[in-house]
């Protein structure tokens, strides 16, 4: 029995993010707590790669249509406070996600430490070679 797995890109994920009062929060705001916690709303759709046009003109039109849909989604969100439900459903599914500031600090610390480590490794290699 052989399993036929497709290689390469299989899906295009279209993500639309809405912030309360249209004020996005940046990483510094999350870490240092400049503003109180706020709910961030995320709406996504998945498109099989087979449905995405390949030709430049058709792809451009497809992308423009996605942006038109995004504008409509955001207009609906800012009018009603929620994204519209998917076709055939009465209510949009919602799930709360909480960002832990301790976790964010740990991730940022790891990123800085990793960058510092790679800087030293590359500097050492450069000194050895030249």
């Amino acid at each position: 029995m052989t399993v036929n797995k497709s290689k390469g890109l299989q899906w295009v994920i279209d993500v639309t993010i809405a912030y309360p009062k249209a004020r996005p929060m940046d990483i510094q705001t999350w870490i240092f707590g400049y503003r109180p916690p706020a709910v961030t709303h995320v709406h996504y759709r998945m498109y099989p790669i087979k449905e995405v046009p390949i030709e430049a003109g058709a792809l451009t039109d497809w992308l423009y249509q996605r942006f038109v849909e995004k504008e409509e989604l955001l207009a609906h969100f800012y009018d009603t406070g929620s994204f519209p439900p998917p076709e055939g459903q009465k209510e949009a599914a919602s799930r709360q996600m909480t960002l832990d500031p301790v976790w964010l600090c740990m991730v940022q610390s790891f990123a800085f430490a990793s960058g510092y480590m790679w800087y030293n490794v590359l500097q050492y290699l450069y000194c050895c070679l030249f």
Side-chain angles (χ1 to χ4, degrees), residues 100-112:
D100 182 12
V102 173
W103 180 81
L104 286 171
C105 284
M106 287 176 25
V107 168
Q108 289 299 312
S109 298
F110 175 76
F112 289 130

Side-chain angles (χ1 to χ4, degrees), residues 4-127:
N4 184 12
K5 283 191 170 183
S6 298
K7 293 183 180 180
L9 189 62
Q10 295 180 20
W11 298 92
V12 173
I13 311 294
D14 178 27
V15 179
T16 305
I17 302 173
Y19 301 95
K21 300 179 184 174
R23 291 182 56 214
M25 295 180 79
D26 55 19
I27 192 72
Q28 292 86 2
T29 302
W30 285 344
I31 291 174
F32 297 117
Y34 296 142
R35 293 194 322 217
V39 176
T40 301
H41 299 267
V42 179
H43 179 276
Y44 70 93
R45 289 181 58 188
M46 297 172 51
Y47 298 94
I49 196 66
K50 294 175 184 176
E51 293 180 9
V52 179
I54 296 174
E55 299 168 357
L59 179 60
T60 300
D61 292 341
W62 186 84
L63 290 170
Y64 284 149
Q65 186 57 40
R66 300 295 74 79
F67 282 104
V68 167
E69 289 174 4
K70 286 179 179 296
E71 290 299 323
E72 292 169 356
L73 284 169
L74 290 171
H76 185 277
F77 177 84
Y78 291 121
D79 286 344
T80 65
S82 65
F83 285 116
E87 290 182 28
Q89 295 183 8
K90 295 181 180 179
E91 191 173 298
S94 180
R95 179 176 47 197
Q96 183 173 356
M97 294 172 48
T98 304
L99 286 175
D100 182 12
V102 173
W103 180 81
L104 286 171
C105 284
M106 287 176 25
V107 168
Q108 289 299 312
S109 298
F110 175 76
F112 289 130
S114 176
Y116 180 73
M117 180 200 70
W118 279 108
Y119 171 78
N120 286 325
V121 167
L122 294 174
Q123 184 180 26
Y124 175 78
L125 290 173
Y126 179 80
C127 290

